[in-house]
Amino acid sequence: QVQLVESGGGLVQAGGSLRLSCAASGSLFSIDNMGWYRQAPGKQRELVAFILSGGSTMYDDSLRGRFTISRDNAKNTVYLQMNSLKPEDTADYFCNADVRSSRAGGWSNYWGQGTQVTVSS
């Protein structure tokens, strides 16, 4: 079993910052891609950013420059630093990871439960 637990969400004023964390635990032989998605009320879930185990990153173009994804492989944790937040960034933010639980096992994709971010104007 693998668990992804997000933290760091909350209420912030426009222009403020938040740092989200997502810690993976359980049967973790190897973690490849880790990423953040978000889902605003009434909208589909969308990719925010992801980071590979080697550190390569990809962002939604509209968020590049304000959001920064990073990871600590020793802690099995991925972070999302969000600066200059806007009301339209209000959403539930979900962590996602590709995990292999054993040397002989295959890759499986996991989701966290989400953390709510609310940006007030």
Side-chain angles (χ1 to χ4, degrees):
Q1 278 289 62
V2 172
Q3 296 81 40
L4 301 178
V5 179
E6 301 100 334
S7 61
L11 174 64
V12 64
Q13 287 188 332
S17 297
L18 283 176
R19 189 193 194 206
L20 306 183
S21 299
C22 171
S25 63
S27 301
L28 307 173
F29 177 78
S30 181
I31 304 176
D32 189 11
N33 178 22
M34 300 187 82
W36 289 95
Y37 289 72
R38 69 183 184 182
Q39 187 167 18
K43 295 188 177 182
Q44 290 189 331
R45 192 171 296 189
E46 62 180 8
L47 174 68
V48 174
F50 68 80
I51 182 168
L52 300 181
S53 58
S56 298
T57 59
M58 180 171 287
Y59 295 88
D60 178 272
D61 285 342
S62 67
L63 301 176
R64 190 186 302 273
R66 294 194 298 122
F67 289 15
T68 303
I69 191 170
S70 61
R71 65 191 284 172
D72 184 334
N73 290 331
K75 295 181 178 180
N76 299 316
T77 299
V78 62
Y79 305 96
L80 185 68
Q81 178 67 42
M82 306 185 294
N83 298 327
S84 303
L85 282 162
K86 305 175 181 180
E88 51 263 43
D89 294 319
T90 295
D92 291 324
Y93 284 71
F94 297 88
C95 176
N96 181 269
D98 292 322
V99 177
R100 190 162 60 149
S101 294
S102 67
R103 182 182 298 274
W107 294 94
S108 296
N109 186 259
Y110 294 90
W111 290 93
Q113 292 298 307
T115 185
Q116 188 173 56
V117 171
T118 303
V119 184
S120 64
S121 57

